[in-house]
Structures are given as C-alpha cells and as structure tokens.
Amino acid sequence: LNDNPSHYKITLSGTVKSPKISFDPPFLMLMPVPLGVKTETTINIIPKNFLRKSQIQVELPELELEDGDTIYPFSVQFPGGKNIVISSDGTNKELICHISFRSSRPVSFLGNMFFIDEEKN
C-alpha cells in the first residue's frame, strides 16, 4: 500500500455441515389390520443443514409374496408438500409425512423406506 510492500497472512477455517434428515418417531410400526383395510400413521421429517431448496423423494419397498407376485402396499403423502424450505432464521422447516399400508393378501414386512433428495443423499 502506497509503495510500502507488506505481507499479510490470512487464515481461514470452517466446518462443512452435510445436509441430513431425522425422523420423529425414529422408526415406524404399523398395527396389524384385516385384509384390505388401510393402516396409517404420521411422521415428522426434520431436515438440518440444507442450504438451498430441496425436494424429498421416497423409495417405497416392493414386497414379493410366496407365490412370486410382487405388491406395493405402501403409499406416502406430504400434505404440506415435499420441499425443504429454509426459513428466515436459516433453519429448515419440518415436513409432515403420512405413511399408509393396505394389502389384500396376507403379508408381514420388516425393511426400509428411503427418503432422498435430488442428489440421492
């Protein structure tokens, strides 16, 4: 500055926060019901560290029956939408998710549903 060479050393540090979601309740157990009757529950999806608008997608399990048939007894609805939104204070708003199960064939299932964003996280 002004023909006076000075050396400045700048040190930067930071923390990378990966986006993630958690669930309330953390696992789901649907009650047994008669064939053809729907059972359902509601869960809260709690997103954290999403820095831009994202949309949640769900990979639902398919069930293979003893006779080889495949059924898709689960359905998911997001009454408030599937978009993860950043509020004015920088936090992400929770999403409400309705999960239901209905089958006309006897079946029990223990497995996973995958909730992912556009980047497959």
Side-chain angles (χ1 to χ4, degrees), residues 19 21 50 52 54-59 114-121:
I21 57 175
F50 282 83
R52 64 181 185 279
S54 297
Q55 188 175 82
I56 294 290
Q57 299 173 11
V58 184
E59 293 179 359
F114 293 99
F115 292 78
I116 57 175
D117 64 13
E118 293 98 346
E119 296 177 8
K120 304 294 183 196
N121 294 314

Side-chain angles (χ1 to χ4, degrees), residues 1-120:
L1 300 170
N2 297 332
D3 296 326
N4 185 6
S6 299
H7 296 281
Y8 295 96
K9 181 178 179 182
I10 298 175
T11 303
L12 301 174
S13 65
T15 303
V16 175
K17 294 183 178 182
S18 298
K20 58 182 149 184
I21 57 175
S22 57
F23 302 91
D24 182 29
F27 65 92
L28 176 66
M29 187 162 77
L30 297 170
M31 298 305 297
V33 292
L35 294 177
V37 174
K38 179 166 66 170
T39 182
E40 60 187 333
T41 193
T42 299
I43 62 170
N44 291 319
I45 299 174
I46 306 158
K48 293 183 180 169
N49 302 324
F50 282 83
L51 301 177
R52 64 181 185 279
K53 184 177 171 183
S54 297
Q55 188 175 82
I56 294 290
Q57 299 173 11
V58 184
E59 293 179 359
L60 297 173
E62 61 183 43
L63 306 180
E64 186 173 337
L65 303 176
E66 290 179 1
D67 63 3
D69 285 349
T70 301
I71 61 171
Y72 301 87
F74 293 97
S75 64
V76 174
Q77 293 181 335
F78 292 85
K82 299 193 266 184
N83 291 331
I84 296 175
V85 180
I86 302 169
S87 63
S88 59
D89 65 357
T91 60
N92 301 124
K93 295 183 179 181
E94 292 185 8
L95 302 172
I96 296 173
C97 179
H98 296 298
I99 299 174
S100 63
F101 174 91
R102 181 188 315 226
S103 176
S104 60
R105 309 266 301 270
V107 65
S108 66
F109 171 76
L110 174 63
N112 296 310
M113 288 183 183
F114 293 99
F115 292 78
I116 57 175
D117 64 13
E118 293 98 346
E119 296 177 8
K120 304 294 183 196

